[in-house]
């Protein structure tokens, strides 16, 4: 039986009050509910405070270049379909540097779950606007306001007919854990965009700001209705819906296929020769 203690306890580099703590808690709860032992789980991440999240969970982890969490996750899943694979990073890493990979993952419908910490700012690099920062919002490095329109990741994912699109909130941990469970169980690419405060560099979208606006979608929302999904995806301002916005039955890319290298024993001797050749 899997328990939360199987995923370990770690000292983090996050600011007190950061939404990353709640997201980590929701992720661990979801993994326990799914009954996944750590050795069956892989997290791929890029660069940023959110991308450090897999460092603080005892699972297999690939921490790569800025914006490259999804291609690595795709390769891992195709090489070993038996693994449960996540891509976890921030809004800047996932929608900025990794924007094209985000679109490609939706098109391919790879069976992985992308958890995006969306605090609407680059935190690790001290506060410049990210793709999801609202136009005109003043940040530490945009004193005259962000010059571009904000990117709406859930609306784009719905418009492209993604497999599973959800929005969560770091202040609703149990609800978020449920979304992660549903995303993992969905066969195909699952996006879970998680709204969270950045206590150091976003003084607008605070925990209280989200708390006043976020509401959970009820049974009256049909996530298989594309028009309803798009309406909810674009709802932003005084009220912000959280929950499963969209779900489709598109077949997952390479469902059931086994990559040619999967299952082959590693030729350690030959591998060492290659590595030594670069020494």
């Amino acid at each position: 039986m899997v328990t939360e203690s199987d995923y370990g306890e770690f000292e983090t580099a996050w600011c007190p009050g950061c939404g990353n703590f709640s997201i980590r808690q929701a992720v661990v709860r979801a993994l326990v509910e799914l009954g996944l032992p750590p050795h069956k789980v892989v997290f791929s991440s890029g660069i940023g405070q959110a991308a450090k999240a897999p460092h603080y969970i005892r699972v297999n982890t690939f921490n790569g270049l800025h914006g490259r969490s999804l291609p690595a996750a795709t390769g891992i899943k195709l090489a070993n379909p038996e693994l449960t694979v996540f891509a976890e990073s921030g809004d800047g890493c996932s929608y900025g540097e990794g924007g094209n990979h985000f679109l490609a993952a939706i098109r391919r419908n790879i069976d992985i779950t992308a958890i995006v910490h969306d605090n609407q700012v680059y935190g690790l690099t001290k506060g410049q606007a990210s793709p999801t920062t609202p136009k005109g919002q003043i940040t530490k490095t945009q004193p005259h306001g962000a010059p571009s329109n904000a990117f709406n990741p859930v609306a784009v994912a719905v418009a492209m007919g993604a497999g599973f699109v959800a929005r969560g909130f770091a202040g609703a941990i149990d609800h978020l854990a449920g979304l992660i469970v549903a995303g993992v169980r969905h066969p195909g690419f699952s996006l879970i965009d998680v709204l969270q405060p950045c206590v150091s560099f976003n003084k607008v979208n605070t925990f209280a700001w989200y708390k006043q606006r976020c509401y959970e979608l009820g049974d009256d929302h049909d996530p298989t209705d594309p028009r309803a999904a798009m309406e909810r995806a674009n709802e932003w301002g005084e009220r912000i819906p959280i929950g499963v916005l969209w779900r489709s039955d598109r077949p997952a890319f390479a469902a059931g296929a086994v990559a040619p290298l999967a299952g082959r024993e590693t030729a350690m001797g030959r591998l060492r020769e290659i590595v030594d050749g670069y020494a």
Side-chain angles (χ1 to χ4, degrees):
M1 179 180 176
V2 180
T3 66
E4 292 191 9
S5 63
D6 293 325
Y7 292 96
E9 294 184 7
F10 299 85
E11 183 177 349
T12 76
W14 295 329
C15 304
C18 177
N20 289 339
F21 291 102
S22 301
I23 297 174
R24 181 197 178 279
Q25 195 172 352
V27 168
V28 171
R29 286 186 188 178
L31 293 173
V32 171
E33 183 171 342
L34 289 162
L36 292 169
H39 72 280
K40 290 286 189 180
V41 179
V42 180
F43 277 76
S44 172
S45 65
I47 299 296
Q49 292 292 2
K52 295 178 182 176
H55 299 186
Y56 308 134
I57 301 178
R58 185 183 295 134
V59 291
N60 301 295
T61 300
F62 178 89
N63 192 186
L65 299 174
H66 211 351
R68 305 299 186 259
S69 61
L70 282 170
T74 298
I76 293 166
K77 185 64 181 180
L78 291 178
N80 190 345
E82 294 183 359
L83 295 172
T84 299
V85 181
F86 294 83
E88 184 173 12
S89 243
D91 48 295
C93 187
S94 301
Y95 305 140
E97 289 82 0
N100 187 49
H101 299 303
F102 174 66
L103 300 179
I106 294 173
R107 286 195 299 114
R108 293 175 181 138
N109 203 28
I110 306 290
D111 188 19
I112 58 179
T113 302
I115 301 173
V116 181
H117 299 220
D118 191 351
N119 59 13
Q120 300 169 277
V121 75
Y122 282 91
L124 185 65
T125 47
K126 313 306 181 194
Q128 75 262 38
S130 80
T132 56
T133 304
K135 184 177 182 179
Q137 184 163 310
I138 294 173
T139 72
K140 190 173 181 180
T141 57
Q142 277 80 29
H144 303 295
S148 303
N149 289 332
F151 179 70
N152 185 334
V154 291
V156 170
V158 170
M160 292 182 66
F164 179 97
V165 183
R167 177 191 283 137
F169 169 43
I173 298 174
D174 288 340
H175 181 261
L176 176 57
L179 295 179
I180 296 170
V181 170
V184 171
R185 287 176 174 164
H186 183 87
F189 180 73
S190 298
L191 168 66
I192 302 171
D193 185 76
V194 187
L195 303 175
Q196 66 160 117
C198 175
V199 294
S200 296
F201 298 108
N202 187 338
K203 303 302 184 183
V204 177
N205 309 108
T206 63
F207 184 87
W209 189 93
Y210 287 122
K211 194 73 175 177
Q212 291 170 358
R213 290 164 172 78
C214 290
Y215 73 94
E216 296 182 14
L217 288 169
D219 294 336
D220 58 334
H221 174 65
D222 179 3
T224 66
D225 181 342
R227 176 172 295 186
M230 186 57 77
E231 287 178 355
R232 297 288 76 78
N234 281 306
E235 186 176 1
W236 186 268
E238 294 305 313
R239 285 170 57 80
I240 302 173
I242 57 174
V244 180
L245 303 171
W246 166 253
R247 186 176 61 240
S248 75
D249 57 0
R250 284 177 59 196
F253 182 86
V258 177
L261 297 181
R264 285 182 54 177
E265 293 187 7
T266 304
M268 296 304 295
R270 177 57 183 147
L271 182 60
R272 179 167 295 280
E273 290 177 8
I274 295 173
V275 173
D276 289 345
Y278 289 94

